[in-house]
Coordinates of all heavy atoms in Angstrom, one line a residue:
M1 N 31.0 15.7 -36.7 CA 29.8 15.4 -35.9 C 29.7 16.4 -34.7 O 30.7 16.8 -34.2 CB 29.8 14.0 -35.3 CG 29.8 12.9 -36.3 SD 28.2 13.0 -37.3 CE 27.6 11.4 -37.0
P2 N 28.5 16.9 -34.4 CA 28.4 17.8 -33.3 C 28.7 17.1 -31.9 O 28.5 15.9 -31.8 CB 27.0 18.3 -33.3 CG 26.2 17.3 -34.2 CD 27.2 16.6 -35.0
T3 N 29.1 17.9 -31.0 CA 29.2 17.4 -29.6 C 28.4 18.3 -28.7 O 28.2 19.5 -29.0 CB 30.7 17.4 -29.1 OG1 31.1 18.8 -29.0 CG2 31.6 16.6 -29.9
V4 N 27.9 17.7 -27.6 CA 27.1 18.5 -26.6 C 27.8 18.2 -25.3 O 27.9 17.0 -24.9 CB 25.6 18.1 -26.6 CG1 24.9 18.9 -25.6 CG2 25.0 18.2 -28.0
T5 N 28.1 19.3 -24.6 CA 28.6 19.1 -23.2 C 27.5 19.6 -22.3 O 27.0 20.7 -22.4 CB 29.9 20.0 -23.0 OG1 30.9 19.5 -23.9 CG2 30.4 19.9 -21.6
Y6 N 27.2 18.7 -21.4 CA 26.1 18.9 -20.4 C 26.9 19.2 -19.1 O 27.6 18.4 -18.6 CB 25.2 17.7 -20.2 CG 24.5 17.3 -21.5 CD1 25.2 16.4 -22.4 CD2 23.2 17.7 -21.7 CE1 24.5 16.0 -23.5 CE2 22.6 17.3 -22.9 CZ 23.2 16.5 -23.8 OH 22.6 16.1 -24.9
V7 N 26.7 20.4 -18.6 CA 27.3 20.8 -17.3 C 26.2 20.6 -16.2 O 25.1 21.2 -16.3 CB 27.7 22.3 -17.3 CG1 28.4 22.6 -15.9 CG2 28.7 22.5 -18.4
L8 N 26.5 19.7 -15.3 CA 25.5 19.3 -14.3 C 25.6 20.3 -13.1 O 26.6 21.0 -12.9 CB 25.8 17.9 -13.8 CG 25.8 16.9 -15.0 CD1 26.2 15.5 -14.4 CD2 24.5 16.9 -15.7
P9 N 24.5 20.3 -12.3 CA 24.4 21.3 -11.2 C 25.6 21.2 -10.2 O 26.0 22.1 -9.5 CB 23.1 20.9 -10.5 CG 22.3 20.3 -11.5 CD 23.2 19.6 -12.4
D10 N 26.2 20.0 -10.1 CA 27.4 19.8 -9.2 C 28.7 20.3 -9.8 O 29.7 20.1 -9.2 CB 27.5 18.4 -8.7 CG 27.9 17.4 -9.8 OD1 28.1 17.8 -10.9 OD2 28.0 16.2 -9.5
G11 N 28.6 20.8 -11.0 CA 29.8 21.3 -11.7 C 30.5 20.3 -12.6 O 31.4 20.6 -13.3
S12 N 30.2 19.0 -12.4 CA 30.7 18.0 -13.3 C 30.1 18.1 -14.7 O 29.1 18.8 -14.9 CB 30.5 16.6 -12.8 OG 29.1 16.3 -12.8
N13 N 30.7 17.5 -15.7 CA 30.2 17.6 -17.0 C 30.3 16.3 -17.8 O 31.2 15.4 -17.4 CB 30.7 18.8 -17.8 CG 32.2 18.7 -18.0 OD1 32.6 17.8 -18.9 ND2 33.0 19.4 -17.3
Q14 N 29.5 16.2 -18.8 CA 29.5 15.0 -19.7 C 29.4 15.4 -21.1 O 28.5 16.2 -21.5 CB 28.3 14.1 -19.3 CG 28.3 12.7 -19.9 CD 27.1 11.9 -19.3 OE1 26.6 12.2 -18.3 NE2 26.8 10.9 -20.0
T15 N 30.4 15.0 -22.0 CA 30.4 15.4 -23.4 C 30.0 14.2 -24.2 O 30.6 13.1 -24.1 CB 31.7 16.0 -23.8 OG1 32.0 17.2 -23.0 CG2 31.8 16.4 -25.2
I16 N 29.1 14.5 -25.1 CA 28.5 13.4 -26.0 C 28.7 13.8 -27.5 O 28.4 15.0 -27.8 CB 27.0 13.2 -25.7 CG1 26.9 12.6 -24.3 CG2 26.4 12.3 -26.7 CD1 25.5 12.6 -23.8
T17 N 29.2 12.9 -28.3 CA 29.2 13.1 -29.7 C 27.9 12.6 -30.3 O 27.4 11.5 -30.0 CB 30.3 12.4 -30.4 OG1 31.6 12.8 -29.8 CG2 30.4 12.6 -31.9
T18 N 27.2 13.5 -31.0 CA 25.8 13.2 -31.5 C 25.8 13.3 -33.0 O 26.8 13.3 -33.7 CB 24.8 14.0 -30.7 OG1 23.5 13.7 -31.1 CG2 25.1 15.5 -30.9
T19 N 24.5 13.4 -33.5 CA 24.3 13.6 -35.0 C 23.5 14.8 -35.2 O 22.7 15.1 -34.3 CB 23.7 12.4 -35.6 OG1 22.4 12.2 -35.0 CG2 24.5 11.1 -35.4
P20 N 23.5 15.4 -36.3 CA 22.7 16.7 -36.5 C 21.2 16.4 -36.4 O 20.5 17.4 -36.1 CB 23.1 17.1 -37.9 CG 24.5 16.5 -38.1 CD 24.5 15.2 -37.4
S21 N 20.7 15.2 -36.6 CA 19.3 15.0 -36.5 C 18.8 14.7 -35.1 O 17.6 14.4 -34.9 CB 18.9 13.9 -37.5 OG 19.6 12.7 -37.2
T22 N 19.7 14.6 -34.2 CA 19.4 14.2 -32.8 C 19.3 15.4 -32.0 O 20.2 16.3 -32.0 CB 20.5 13.3 -32.3 OG1 20.6 12.1 -33.1 CG2 20.1 12.8 -30.9
S23 N 18.2 15.5 -31.2 CA 18.0 16.7 -30.3 C 18.9 16.6 -29.1 O 19.4 15.5 -28.8 CB 16.6 16.9 -29.9 OG 16.2 15.9 -28.9
V24 N 19.2 17.7 -28.5 CA 20.0 17.7 -27.3 C 19.3 16.9 -26.2 O 20.0 16.2 -25.4 CB 20.2 19.2 -26.8 CG1 20.9 19.2 -25.4 CG2 21.0 19.9 -27.9
M25 N 18.0 16.8 -26.2 CA 17.2 16.0 -25.2 C 17.5 14.5 -25.6 O 17.8 13.7 -24.7 CB 15.8 16.3 -25.3 CG 14.9 15.5 -24.3 SD 14.3 13.9 -25.1 CE 13.1 14.4 -26.2
Q26 N 17.3 14.1 -26.8 CA 17.5 12.7 -27.2 C 18.9 12.2 -26.9 O 19.1 11.1 -26.4 CB 17.2 12.5 -28.7 CG 15.7 12.7 -29.1 CD 15.5 12.8 -30.6 OE1 16.3 13.5 -31.3 NE2 14.5 12.1 -31.1
A27 N 19.9 13.0 -27.2 CA 21.3 12.6 -26.9 C 21.5 12.4 -25.4 O 22.1 11.5 -25.0 CB 22.2 13.7 -27.5
A28 N 20.9 13.3 -24.6 CA 21.0 13.1 -23.2 C 20.4 11.8 -22.7 O 21.0 11.1 -21.9 CB 20.4 14.3 -22.5
L29 N 19.2 11.5 -23.2 CA 18.5 10.3 -22.7 C 19.3 9.1 -23.1 O 19.4 8.1 -22.4 CB 17.1 10.2 -23.3 CG 16.1 11.3 -22.7 CD1 14.7 10.9 -23.2 CD2 16.1 11.4 -21.2
A30 N 19.8 9.1 -24.4 CA 20.5 7.9 -24.9 C 21.8 7.7 -24.1 O 22.3 6.5 -24.0 CB 20.9 8.2 -26.3
H31 N 22.3 8.7 -23.4 CA 23.6 8.6 -22.6 C 23.3 8.8 -21.1 O 24.3 9.0 -20.4 CB 24.6 9.5 -23.2 CG 25.1 9.2 -24.5 ND1 24.4 9.6 -25.7 CD2 26.1 8.4 -25.0 CE1 25.1 9.1 -26.7 NE2 26.1 8.4 -26.3
R32 N 22.1 8.7 -20.8 CA 21.7 8.8 -19.3 C 22.3 10.0 -18.6 O 22.9 9.8 -17.5 CB 22.1 7.5 -18.6 CG 21.4 6.3 -19.2 CD 21.9 5.0 -18.6 NE 21.5 3.8 -19.3 CZ 20.6 3.0 -18.9 NH1 20.0 3.1 -17.7 NH2 20.2 2.0 -19.6
V33 N 22.2 11.1 -19.2 CA 22.6 12.3 -18.6 C 21.6 12.7 -17.4 O 20.4 12.8 -17.7 CB 22.7 13.5 -19.6 CG1 23.1 14.8 -18.8 CG2 23.8 13.2 -20.6
P34 N 22.1 12.7 -16.2 CA 21.2 13.0 -15.1 C 20.5 14.4 -15.3 O 21.2 15.3 -15.7 CB 22.0 12.9 -13.9 CG 23.4 12.8 -14.3 CD 23.5 12.6 -15.8
G35 N 19.2 14.5 -14.9 CA 18.6 15.8 -14.9 C 17.8 16.1 -16.2 O 17.1 17.1 -16.2
I36 N 18.0 15.4 -17.2 CA 17.2 15.6 -18.5 C 16.2 14.4 -18.5 O 16.6 13.3 -18.7 CB 18.1 15.6 -19.7 CG1 19.2 16.6 -19.6 CG2 17.2 15.8 -21.0 CD1 18.8 18.0 -19.8
I37 N 15.0 14.8 -18.4 CA 13.9 13.7 -18.3 C 13.2 13.5 -19.6 O 13.0 12.3 -20.0 CB 13.0 14.1 -17.1 CG1 13.8 14.1 -15.8 CG2 11.9 13.0 -17.0 CD1 13.0 14.8 -14.7
G38 N 12.8 14.5 -20.3 CA 12.1 14.4 -21.6 C 10.8 13.6 -21.5 O 10.5 12.8 -22.4
E39 N 10.0 13.9 -20.5 CA 8.8 13.2 -20.2 C 7.8 13.1 -21.4 O 7.1 12.1 -21.6 CB 8.1 13.8 -19.0 CG 7.2 13.0 -18.3 CD 6.8 13.6 -17.0 OE1 7.5 13.4 -16.0 OE2 5.8 14.4 -17.0
C40 N 7.7 14.2 -22.2 CA 6.7 14.2 -23.3 C 7.3 13.7 -24.6 O 6.6 13.7 -25.6 CB 6.2 15.6 -23.5 SG 7.3 16.8 -24.2
G41 N 8.6 13.3 -24.6 CA 9.1 12.7 -25.8 C 9.5 13.7 -26.9 O 9.8 13.4 -28.0
G42 N 9.5 15.0 -26.5 CA 10.0 16.0 -27.5 C 8.9 16.9 -28.0 O 9.1 17.6 -29.0
A43 N 7.7 16.8 -27.4 CA 6.6 17.6 -28.0 C 6.5 19.0 -27.4 O 5.5 19.7 -27.7 CB 5.3 16.8 -27.6
A44 N 7.5 19.4 -26.6 CA 7.5 20.7 -26.0 C 6.3 21.0 -25.1 O 5.8 22.1 -25.0 CB 7.6 21.8 -27.1
T45 N 5.9 19.9 -24.4 CA 4.7 20.1 -23.5 C 5.0 19.7 -22.0 O 4.1 19.6 -21.2 CB 3.5 19.2 -24.0 OG1 3.9 17.9 -24.1 CG2 3.1 19.7 -25.4
C46 N 6.2 19.4 -21.7 CA 6.5 18.9 -20.3 C 7.5 19.8 -19.6 O 7.4 19.9 -18.4 CB 6.9 17.5 -20.2 SG 8.6 17.2 -20.8
G47 N 8.4 20.4 -20.3 CA 9.4 21.3 -19.6 C 10.5 20.5 -18.9 O 11.3 21.2 -18.2
T48 N 10.5 19.2 -19.0 CA 11.5 18.4 -18.2 C 12.8 18.2 -18.9 O 13.7 17.5 -18.5 CB 11.0 17.1 -17.8 OG1 10.7 16.3 -18.9 CG2 9.7 17.2 -16.9
C49 N 13.0 19.0 -20.0 CA 14.3 19.0 -20.7 C 14.9 20.4 -20.7 O 15.8 20.7 -21.6 CB 14.1 18.4 -22.2 SG 13.1 19.6 -23.2
H50 N 14.4 21.2 -19.8 CA 14.9 22.6 -19.7 C 16.4 22.6 -19.5 O 17.0 21.9 -18.7 CB 14.2 23.2 -18.5 CG 14.6 24.6 -18.2 ND1 14.5 25.1 -16.9 CD2 15.1 25.6 -19.0 CE1 14.9 26.4 -17.0 NE2 15.2 26.7 -18.2
V51 N 17.1 23.4 -20.3 CA 18.5 23.7 -20.1 C 18.8 25.1 -20.3 O 18.0 25.9 -20.8 CB 19.4 22.9 -21.2 CG1 19.3 21.4 -20.9 CG2 19.0 23.2 -22.6
Y52 N 20.0 25.5 -19.8 CA 20.5 26.9 -20.0 C 21.6 26.8 -21.1 O 22.6 26.1 -20.9 CB 21.1 27.5 -18.8 CG 20.0 27.5 -17.6 CD1 20.2 26.8 -16.5 CD2 18.9 28.3 -17.8 CE1 19.3 26.9 -15.4 CE2 18.0 28.4 -16.8 CZ 18.2 27.7 -15.6 OH 17.2 27.7 -14.6
L53 N 21.3 27.4 -22.3 CA 22.2 27.3 -23.4 C 23.4 28.3 -23.3 O 23.1 29.5 -23.1 CB 21.4 27.5 -24.7 CG 22.2 27.7 -26.0 CD1 22.9 26.4 -26.3 CD2 21.3 28.1 -27.1
D54 N 24.6 27.8 -23.4 CA 25.7 28.7 -23.5 C 25.7 29.2 -25.0 O 26.2 28.6 -25.9 CB 27.0 28.0 -23.2 CG 28.2 28.9 -23.3 OD1 28.2 29.9 -24.0 OD2 29.3 28.6 -22.7
E55 N 25.2 30.4 -25.1 CA 25.0 31.0 -26.5 C 26.2 31.3 -27.2 O 26.2 31.6 -28.4 CB 24.0 32.2 -26.4 CG 22.6 31.8 -25.9 CD 21.8 32.9 -25.4 OE1 22.3 33.8 -24.8 OE2 20.6 32.9 -25.7
S56 N 27.4 31.3 -26.5 CA 28.6 31.6 -27.2 C 29.1 30.3 -28.0 O 30.0 30.4 -28.8 CB 29.7 32.0 -26.2 OG 30.1 30.9 -25.3
T57 N 28.5 29.2 -27.7 CA 28.9 27.9 -28.4 C 28.1 27.6 -29.6 O 28.6 26.8 -30.4 CB 28.9 26.8 -27.4 OG1 27.6 26.5 -26.9 CG2 29.9 27.0 -26.2
E58 N 26.9 28.1 -29.7 CA 26.0 27.7 -30.8 C 24.9 28.7 -30.8 O 24.3 29.0 -29.7 CB 25.6 26.3 -30.7 CG 24.6 25.8 -31.7 CD 25.2 25.5 -33.1 OE1 26.3 26.1 -33.4 OE2 24.6 24.8 -33.9
S59 N 24.4 29.1 -32.0 CA 23.2 29.9 -32.0 C 22.1 29.2 -32.7 O 22.4 28.4 -33.7 CB 23.5 31.3 -32.7 OG 23.9 31.0 -34.0
F60 N 20.9 29.3 -32.3 CA 19.7 28.7 -32.8 C 18.7 29.7 -33.1 O 18.8 30.8 -32.6 CB 19.1 27.7 -31.8 CG 20.0 26.5 -31.6 CD1 20.9 26.5 -30.5 CD2 20.0 25.4 -32.4 CE1 21.7 25.4 -30.2 CE2 20.8 24.2 -32.1 CZ 21.6 24.3 -31.0
L61 N 17.7 29.4 -33.9 CA 16.6 30.3 -34.1 C 15.9 30.5 -32.7 O 16.0 29.6 -31.8 CB 15.6 29.6 -35.0 CG 16.0 29.5 -36.5 CD1 15.0 28.7 -37.3 CD2 16.2 30.9 -37.1
P62 N 15.3 31.6 -32.5 CA 14.7 31.9 -31.2 C 13.6 30.8 -30.9 O 13.1 30.2 -31.9 CB 14.0 33.2 -31.4 CG 14.6 33.8 -32.6 CD 15.1 32.7 -33.4
P63 N 13.2 30.6 -29.7 CA 12.1 29.7 -29.4 C 10.8 29.9 -30.1 O 10.5 31.1 -30.3 CB 11.9 29.9 -27.9 CG 13.1 30.5 -27.4 CD 13.7 31.3 -28.5
G64 N 10.2 28.9 -30.6 CA 8.9 29.0 -31.2 C 7.8 29.3 -30.2 O 8.1 29.3 -29.0
E65 N 6.6 29.4 -30.6 CA 5.5 29.8 -29.8 C 5.3 28.7 -28.7 O 5.1 29.0 -27.5 CB 4.2 29.9 -30.6 CG 3.1 30.6 -30.0 CD 1.9 30.8 -30.9 OE1 2.1 31.3 -32.1 OE2 0.8 30.4 -30.6
D66 N 5.3 27.4 -29.0 CA 5.1 26.4 -28.1 C 6.2 26.3 -27.0 O 6.0 26.2 -25.8 CB 5.0 25.0 -28.8 CG 3.7 24.9 -29.6 OD1 2.8 25.7 -29.4 OD2 3.7 23.9 -30.4
E67 N 7.4 26.5 -27.5 CA 8.6 26.5 -26.6 C 8.5 27.7 -25.6 O 8.7 27.5 -24.4 CB 9.9 26.5 -27.4 CG 11.1 26.4 -26.5 CD 12.4 26.3 -27.2 OE1 12.4 26.3 -28.5 OE2 13.5 26.3 -26.5
E68 N 8.2 28.8 -26.2 CA 8.0 30.0 -25.3 C 7.0 29.8 -24.2 O 7.3 30.1 -23.1 CB 7.6 31.2 -26.2 CG 8.7 31.9 -26.9 CD 9.6 32.7 -25.9 OE1 9.3 32.9 -24.7 OE2 10.7 33.2 -26.4
A69 N 5.9 29.2 -24.6 CA 4.8 29.0 -23.6 C 5.3 28.0 -22.5 O 5.1 28.2 -21.3 CB 3.6 28.5 -24.3
M70 N 6.0 26.9 -22.9 CA 6.4 25.9 -22.0 C 7.5 26.4 -21.1 O 7.6 26.0 -19.9 CB 6.9 24.7 -22.8 CG 7.1 23.5 -21.9 SD 5.5 22.8 -21.2 CE 5.8 23.2 -19.5
L71 N 8.3 27.3 -21.6 CA 9.4 27.8 -20.7 C 8.9 28.6 -19.6 O 9.6 28.9 -18.6 CB 10.4 28.7 -21.6 CG 11.3 27.8 -22.5 CD1 12.0 28.7 -23.5 CD2 12.3 27.0 -21.7
E72 N 7.6 29.0 -19.6 CA 7.1 29.8 -18.5 C 6.7 28.8 -17.3 O 6.4 29.3 -16.2 CB 5.8 30.5 -18.9 CG 6.0 31.6 -19.9 CD 7.0 32.7 -19.4 OE1 6.9 33.0 -18.2 OE2 7.8 33.2 -20.2
W73 N 6.8 27.5 -17.5 CA 6.3 26.5 -16.5 C 7.4 25.6 -16.1 O 7.2 24.5 -15.6 CB 5.1 25.7 -17.1 CG 4.0 26.6 -17.4 CD1 3.6 27.2 -18.6 CD2 3.0 27.1 -16.4 NE1 2.5 28.0 -18.4 CE2 2.1 27.9 -17.1 CE3 2.8 26.8 -15.1 CZ2 1.1 28.5 -16.4 CZ3 1.8 27.4 -14.4 CH2 0.9 28.3 -15.1
T74 N 8.7 25.9 -16.3 CA 9.8 25.0 -15.9 C 10.0 25.0 -14.4 O 9.6 26.0 -13.8 CB 11.1 25.4 -16.7 OG1 11.3 26.8 -16.4 CG2 11.0 25.1 -18.2
A75 N 10.5 23.9 -13.9 CA 10.7 23.8 -12.4 C 11.7 24.8 -11.9 O 11.6 25.4 -10.9 CB 11.0 22.4 -12.1
S76 N 12.8 24.9 -12.7 CA 13.9 25.9 -12.3 C 13.6 27.2 -13.0 O 12.9 27.2 -14.0 CB 15.2 25.4 -12.7 OG 15.6 24.3 -11.8
P77 N 14.1 28.3 -12.5 CA 13.7 29.6 -13.0 C 14.1 29.7 -14.5 O 15.2 29.3 -14.9 CB 14.6 30.6 -12.2 CG 15.0 29.8 -11.0 CD 15.0 28.4 -11.3
R78 N 13.3 30.4 -15.2 CA 13.6 30.7 -16.6 C 14.6 31.9 -16.6 O 14.5 32.8 -15.9 CB 12.3 31.2 -17.4 CG 12.7 31.5 -18.8 CD 11.5 31.9 -19.6 NE 11.9 32.1 -21.0 CZ 11.1 32.3 -22.0 NH1 9.8 32.3 -21.8 NH2 11.6 32.5 -23.2
K79 N 15.6 31.7 -17.5 CA 16.6 32.8 -17.7 C 16.5 33.2 -19.2 O 15.9 32.5 -20.0 CB 18.0 32.3 -17.3 CG 18.1 31.9 -15.9 CD 19.5 31.4 -15.5 CE 19.6 30.9 -14.1 NZ 20.9 30.4 -13.8
D80 N 17.3 34.2 -19.5 CA 17.3 34.7 -20.9 C 17.8 33.6 -21.9 O 17.4 33.5 -23.0 CB 18.3 35.9 -21.1 CG 17.7 37.1 -20.5 OD1 16.4 37.1 -20.2 OD2 18.4 38.1 -20.3
N81 N 18.7 32.7 -21.4 CA 19.2 31.6 -22.2 C 18.5 30.3 -22.0 O 19.1 29.2 -22.4 CB 20.7 31.5 -22.0 CG 21.1 31.1 -20.6 OD1 20.3 31.2 -19.7 ND2 22.3 30.6 -20.4
S82 N 17.4 30.3 -21.4 CA 16.6 29.0 -21.2 C 16.1 28.5 -22.5 O 15.6 29.2 -23.4 CB 15.4 29.3 -20.3 OG 15.8 29.4 -19.0
R83 N 16.3 27.2 -22.7 CA 15.7 26.5 -23.9 C 15.2 25.1 -23.5 O 15.6 24.6 -22.5 CB 16.8 26.4 -25.0 CG 17.4 27.6 -25.6 CD 16.3 28.5 -26.2 NE 15.6 27.9 -27.3 CZ 15.9 28.1 -28.6 NH1 16.8 28.9 -29.0 NH2 15.1 27.5 -29.6
L84 N 14.4 24.6 -24.4 CA 14.0 23.2 -24.2 C 14.9 22.4 -25.1 O 15.0 22.6 -26.3 CB 12.5 23.0 -24.7 CG 11.5 23.7 -23.9 CD1 10.1 23.4 -24.5 CD2 11.5 23.3 -22.5
A85 N 15.6 21.4 -24.4 CA 16.6 20.6 -25.2 C 16.0 19.8 -26.3 O 16.7 19.5 -27.3 CB 17.3 19.7 -24.2
C86 N 14.7 19.5 -26.2 CA 14.1 18.8 -27.3 C 13.9 19.6 -28.6 O 13.7 19.0 -29.6 CB 12.8 18.2 -26.9 SG 11.5 19.4 -26.5
Q87 N 14.1 20.9 -28.5 CA 13.9 21.7 -29.6 C 15.3 22.1 -30.3 O 15.3 22.9 -31.2 CB 13.1 23.0 -29.2 CG 11.8 22.7 -28.6 CD 10.9 21.9 -29.5 OE1 10.6 22.3 -30.6 NE2 10.5 20.7 -29.1
L88 N 16.3 21.7 -29.7 CA 17.7 22.1 -30.1 C 18.4 20.9 -30.8 O 18.6 19.8 -30.2 CB 18.5 22.5 -29.0 CG 18.0 23.7 -28.1 CD1 19.0 23.9 -26.9 CD2 17.8 24.9 -28.9
K89 N 18.7 21.1 -32.1 CA 19.5 20.1 -32.9 C 20.7 20.7 -33.4 O 20.7 21.5 -34.3 CB 18.6 19.5 -34.0 CG 17.4 18.7 -33.5 CD 16.6 18.1 -34.7 CE 15.5 17.3 -34.1 NZ 14.6 16.8 -35.2
P90 N 21.9 20.4 -32.7 CA 23.1 21.1 -33.2 C 23.5 20.6 -34.6 O 23.3 19.4 -34.9 CB 24.1 20.6 -32.1 CG 23.5 19.5 -31.4 CD 22.0 19.6 -31.6
A91 N 24.0 21.5 -35.3 CA 24.4 21.2 -36.7 C 25.9 21.0 -36.9 O 26.7 21.4 -36.1 CB 23.9 22.3 -37.6
G92 N 26.2 20.3 -38.0 CA 27.6 20.2 -38.4 C 28.6 19.8 -37.3 O 28.4 18.7 -36.7
D93 N 29.6 20.6 -37.1 CA 30.6 20.3 -36.1 C 30.5 21.2 -34.9 O 31.5 21.5 -34.2 CB 32.0 20.5 -36.7 CG 32.3 19.4 -37.7 OD1 31.8 18.3 -37.6 OD2 33.0 19.7 -38.7
A94 N 29.3 21.6 -34.6 CA 29.0 22.4 -33.4 C 29.5 21.8 -32.1 O 29.6 20.6 -32.0 CB 27.5 22.7 -33.3
Q95 N 30.0 22.6 -31.2 CA 30.4 22.2 -29.9 C 29.6 22.9 -28.9 O 30.0 23.9 -28.3 CB 31.9 22.4 -29.8 CG 32.8 21.6 -30.7 CD 34.2 21.8 -30.6 OE1 34.7 22.9 -30.3 NE2 35.0 20.7 -30.7
L96 N 28.5 22.4 -28.7 CA 27.5 23.0 -27.9 C 27.7 22.8 -26.4 O 28.1 21.6 -26.0 CB 26.1 22.5 -28.3 CG 24.8 22.9 -27.7 CD1 24.6 24.4 -28.0 CD2 23.7 22.1 -28.3
V97 N 27.4 23.8 -25.5 CA 27.5 23.6 -24.1 C 26.1 24.0 -23.5 O 25.6 25.1 -23.8 CB 28.6 24.4 -23.4 CG1 28.6 24.3 -21.9 CG2 30.0 24.0 -24.0
V98 N 25.5 23.2 -22.7 CA 24.3 23.5 -22.0 C 24.5 23.2 -20.5 O 25.2 22.3 -20.1 CB 23.1 22.7 -22.5 CG1 22.8 23.1 -24.0 CG2 23.2 21.2 -22.4
R99 N 23.8 24.0 -19.7 CA 23.8 23.7 -18.2 C 22.5 23.1 -17.8 O 21.4 23.5 -18.3 CB 24.0 25.0 -17.4 CG 25.3 25.6 -17.6 CD 25.6 26.8 -16.7 NE 27.0 27.2 -16.8 CZ 28.0 26.6 -16.2 NH1 27.8 25.6 -15.3 NH2 29.2 27.0 -16.4
V100 N 22.5 22.0 -17.1 CA 21.3 21.3 -16.6 C 20.9 22.0 -15.3 O 21.7 22.2 -14.4 CB 21.6 19.8 -16.4 CG1 20.4 19.1 -15.8 CG2 22.1 19.2 -17.6
P101 N 19.6 22.4 -15.2 CA 19.1 23.1 -14.0 C 19.1 22.2 -12.8 O 19.1 21.0 -13.0 CB 17.7 23.6 -14.4 CG 17.5 23.3 -15.8 CD 18.6 22.3 -16.2
E102 N 19.0 22.8 -11.6 CA 18.9 22.0 -10.4 C 17.7 21.1 -10.4 O 17.8 19.9 -9.9 CB 18.8 23.0 -9.2 CG 20.0 23.8 -8.9 CD 21.0 23.0 -8.1 OE1 20.7 21.9 -7.5 OE2 22.2 23.5 -8.1
E103 N 16.5 21.6 -10.8 CA 15.3 20.8 -10.7 C 14.6 20.7 -12.1 O 14.7 21.7 -12.9 CB 14.3 21.6 -9.9 CG 14.4 21.5 -8.4 CD 13.3 22.3 -7.7 OE1 12.2 21.7 -7.7 OE2 13.5 23.4 -7.3
Q104 N 14.0 19.6 -12.3 CA 13.2 19.4 -13.6 C 11.8 19.1 -13.4 O 11.0 19.0 -14.3 CB 13.9 18.4 -14.5 CG 15.2 18.8 -15.1 CD 15.1 19.9 -16.2 OE1 14.2 20.7 -16.2 NE2 16.0 19.8 -17.1
Q105 N 11.4 18.8 -12.2 CA 10.0 18.4 -11.9 C 9.4 19.2 -10.7 O 10.1 19.5 -9.8 CB 9.8 16.9 -11.7 CG 10.1 16.2 -12.9 CD 9.8 14.7 -12.8 OE1 9.9 14.1 -11.7 NE2 9.6 14.0 -13.9
Ligands
FES201 S1 10.9 16.7 -23.8 FE1 9.1 17.6 -23.0 S2 9.4 19.7 -23.4 FE2 11.2 18.8 -24.2

């Protein structure tokens, strides 16, 4: 099963074992990870699940058109490794690491 480690702005972290069909946003909400809000339920229209992906831990297809557009409107600055957690579903035995931004709204 994949795991996702959420690194919080204060430097603490929380690691969750999830399933391949669960998005990084859904896993965060199910385990009450602070800073991941997921206001739109995964439709890529709110930007409140913005994370910085540690690309050395897992690679995904590049953001789609909707995700690209939404990443321009996130509360914390967009970086090269910015992703919407609702669009990321780790596969297999991935050990994914994401950083939660300071602000989400
Ligand atoms: S949950 Fe709204 S953009 Fe991801």
Side-chain angles (χ1 to χ4, degrees):
M1 295 299 234
T3 63
V4 183
T5 298
Y6 301 85
V7 181
L8 304 179
D10 68 1
S12 65
N13 64 72
Q14 191 172 341
T15 299
I16 293 170
T17 300
T18 183
T19 63
S21 60
T22 302
S23 75
V24 172
M25 178 276 285
Q26 290 169 318
L29 293 189
H31 293 84
R32 299 174 191 251
V33 174
I36 305 285
I37 299 166
E39 200 169 272
C40 74
T45 58
C46 72
T48 63
C49 67
H50 178 207
V51 293
Y52 301 118
L53 172 65
D54 182 338
E55 294 165 321
S56 69
T57 61
E58 175 78 336
S59 59
F60 292 95
L61 291 173
E65 197 173 309
D66 291 346
E67 184 177 357
E68 277 288 351
M70 192 65 249
L71 285 169
E72 296 300 324
W73 297 95
T74 53
S76 288
R78 179 177 183 173
K79 299 179 183 177
D80 289 346
N81 62 340
S82 284
R83 296 299 303 257
L84 296 179
C86 64
Q87 304 301 303
L88 302 177
K89 292 182 179 175
D93 292 325
Q95 296 182 320
L96 182 64
V97 176
V98 296
R99 292 188 176 276
V100 178
E102 291 278 346
E103 281 183 76
Q104 289 288 30
Q105 291 186 335

